[in-house]
Amino acid sequence: MARQQVDDQALGAGIATRDLPDASSSAAGSIALTGRWWLWPLAIYLVTRALNAVMIVVAGRSSITLEEFVGSGHKHFGTFAGTAPPGYLTSVTRWDGQWYWEIAAHGYPSVLPTDANGNVEQNPWAFFPLYPYLVRGVMFVTRLDFPVSATLVSLTCGAAAMLVLYRVVQPRYGHLGGTLAVLGMTTFVCAPVFQMAYAEGLALLLLLISLWSVLARRYVLAAIVLLLLAFTRGVTAPLAPALLLYGALMWRRGRIRRKDAVALVLLATWAGLLAFAWFVTAGVVTGRWNTYVLTQKAWNPELTVIPVVRFIARNSDVAGGQIGASVIAIAWAALLIWFLTKGQKEPLLALWTGMYVAYLLAVTDWNWSNVRYYLLALPVLWPLVAPFRGERSARPRVLVACVVAAVSLAMQWWYIRYCVTISPELVQVP
């Protein structure tokens, strides 16, 4: 009863100031937001995209045609909607980009394609529609072809995502913290997808806007953005428990009022329901309720087996057999969640990252091809975003961040050369 009688004005003041760790970071944040706060995040993003573009062009010199690649025994879908000019645009529209191109040009089939045995073949229903249709809209307005339009959409969404990331991080960590978060995100090993025909940039933008909306108590906006996110990537499911736990934590700490708690429960329920939005849409259009599952099985026939079980079975030859493999799996999952949340002081972001990583480990294969999914886990090295204990000068922290960024850029070259680029030396699809 006493909780309900908390003075609204005092509670509001507590909510408004809870994200500010100390006076210095608050001052830094105020200065950043009254000036050209967007300059550093945008500059870092553009410089790293330019470096990745150079890497893509150089790596592309060793690429081979799709015909040569498929002829050597590999699988790769090629759309008949068009052909990108040789060089940069060819590299950034390979792999999933070919499927998005097909969707932008022809949409989704109303009848699932099957082979001679009646098994569903790979088809566009595996890919969510918002990104390719957004590119299609740009193509219609500008009359540009898919490779250029997709590149523009991806780059723009990535840039906007970095600005929103800065605004999410800055209130708690200050201007430098927000800037270093952008540096960490743009140098993550799979960040080159921000300029490829992939939906990661759009998905990250919508995710960050939804998280910012919750922090700002703009729940209606969050609900609208989650609807868009549900048709961009299948990531609303882990948001449901994250929002529920966040609401429970804030309520226990006396940080939110009853109406906020109710709003968070409703928003979590909405996020959970949206997890089935694309599944239902595919079923309604094709007349087969399990269209999405059948389509996913065309890529991975082992879909009926839980990924962690597959991991344990594949690595049961280690010392200790399946028990040893199970220990490795548990240790890896715990290490991954700890590493990606270490130093994170905003409960909502930490809960999101933890739930999302657990979700990925539960529903996706444990292989290199899925590393790009972790872009949405906000892998920004939070210990470098926050000031070091007893820090008197930020220079050592900035120096460490720059060294880490340099190493990450080298890893990006490996990713571009041996994963993105179709060549005889291909290691793993991106």
Side-chain angles (χ1 to χ4, degrees):
M1 190 69 177
R3 181 188 297 275
Q4 300 177 26
Q5 297 175 351
V6 174
D7 182 76
D8 284 353
Q9 184 174 1
L11 182 59
I15 293 174
T17 59
R18 78 179 193 280
D19 289 337
L20 302 177
D22 53 48
S24 60
S25 64
S26 176
S30 300
I31 293 173
L33 292 182
T34 55
R36 298 179 179 178
W37 62 269
W38 47 267
L39 187 58
W40 274 103
L42 198 57
I44 292 172
Y45 177 78
L46 292 176
V47 169
T48 52
R49 292 315 95 219
L51 291 173
N52 282 171
V54 173
M55 295 179 188
I56 291 172
V57 171
V58 174
R61 295 174 181 174
S62 63
S63 67
I64 58 178
T65 65
L66 290 184
E67 292 76 12
E68 292 173 322
F69 185 68
V70 174
S72 62
H74 297 88
K75 290 184 178 181
H76 191 303
F77 170 76
T79 179
F80 291 102
T83 303
Y88 178 85
L89 291 177
T90 292
S91 295
V92 299
T93 53
R94 290 275 174 85
W95 304 111
D96 288 8
Q98 291 289 295
W99 286 104
Y100 285 128
W101 195 344
E102 178 74 11
I103 296 167
H106 302 129
Y108 293 86
S110 58
V111 178
L112 291 178
T114 57
D115 60 20
N117 297 320
N119 298 315
V120 174
E121 297 179 319
Q122 294 181 359
N123 66 83
W125 284 110
F127 300 88
F128 290 71
L130 187 57
Y131 174 77
Y133 282 161
L134 180 59
V135 174
R136 183 175 183 172
V138 172
M139 293 169 64
F140 176 79
V141 172
T142 64
R143 300 302 176 183
L144 296 171
D145 59 7
F146 178 87
V148 176
S149 298
T151 299
L152 290 176
V153 169
S154 295
L155 282 171
T156 301
C157 290
M162 293 309 103
L163 297 179
V164 179
L165 174 64
Y166 175 91
R167 293 301 298 264
V168 169
V169 175
Q170 180 274 335
R172 181 176 286 276
Y173 296 97
H175 170 63
L176 179 59
T179 302
L180 293 180
V182 171
L183 179 64
M185 181 66 76
T186 55
T187 55
F188 182 65
V189 61
C190 297
V193 297
F194 285 142
Q195 60 206 84
M196 296 171 58
Y198 274 64
E200 266 66 26
L202 177 60
L204 180 62
L205 172 61
L206 295 174
L207 170 68
L208 288 169
I209 292 177
S210 65
L211 293 174
W212 174 85
S213 299
V214 172
L215 292 173
R217 308 291 185 257
R218 299 183 180 182
Y219 303 114
V220 175
L221 175 60
I224 295 173
V225 175
L226 285 180
L227 177 61
L228 297 176
L229 180 60
F231 287 93
T232 305
R233 284 284 303 278
V235 297
T236 61
L239 261 175
L243 290 170
L244 286 176
L245 290 174
Y246 175 71
L249 180 62
M250 292 297 101
W251 175 260
R252 182 177 181 181
R253 293 180 178 179
R255 298 281 182 83
I256 58 174
R257 296 181 287 269
R258 180 181 294 274
K259 66 177 184 179
D260 293 308
V262 172
L264 286 170
V265 171
L266 292 175
L267 192 61
T269 304
W270 175 240
L273 292 174
L274 286 175
F276 302 96
W278 185 235
F279 183 96
V280 173
T281 301
V284 170
V285 173
T286 62
R288 302 181 66 170
W289 67 271
N290 58 346
T291 288
Y292 185 72
V293 174
L294 292 175
T295 299
Q296 290 293 338
K297 284 184 178 179
W299 266 271
N300 188 358
E302 297 180 329
L303 189 64
T304 54
V305 182
I306 299 174
V308 65
V309 175
R310 291 201 296 269
F311 175 85
I312 294 173
R314 292 170 182 171
N315 295 276
S316 58
D317 56 344
V318 300
Q322 290 193 348
I323 295 178
S326 299
V327 172
I328 293 175
I330 294 172
W332 170 245
L335 177 64
L336 198 57
I337 294 175
W338 172 83
F339 178 76
L340 291 173
T341 58
K342 175 67 175 177
Q344 175 54 271
K345 297 180 180 180
E346 171 51 57
L348 178 60
L349 300 187
L351 286 169
W352 156 251
T353 297
M355 289 298 168
Y356 179 62
V357 172
Y359 173 76
L360 287 181
L361 294 173
V363 303
T364 64
D365 265 330
W366 294 21
N367 58 40
W368 179 254
S369 180
N370 294 332
V371 172
R372 63 183 171 87
Y373 296 159
Y374 286 87
L375 276 169
L376 300 189
L378 310 180
V380 302
L381 289 180
W382 294 105
L384 295 178
V385 172
F388 293 154
R389 180 174 298 180
E391 179 180 284
R392 295 184 178 181
S393 172
R395 290 182 180 179
R397 180 159 52 104
V398 173
L399 179 60
V400 172
C402 290
V403 171
V404 172
V407 174
S408 298
L409 285 170
M411 294 175 65
Q412 286 183 345
W413 161 251
W414 183 89
Y415 178 73
I416 290 171
R417 176 63 180 83
Y418 297 106
C419 297
V420 172
T421 304
I422 294 180
S423 70
E425 297 84 17
L426 180 74
V427 174
Q428 178 67 58
V429 300

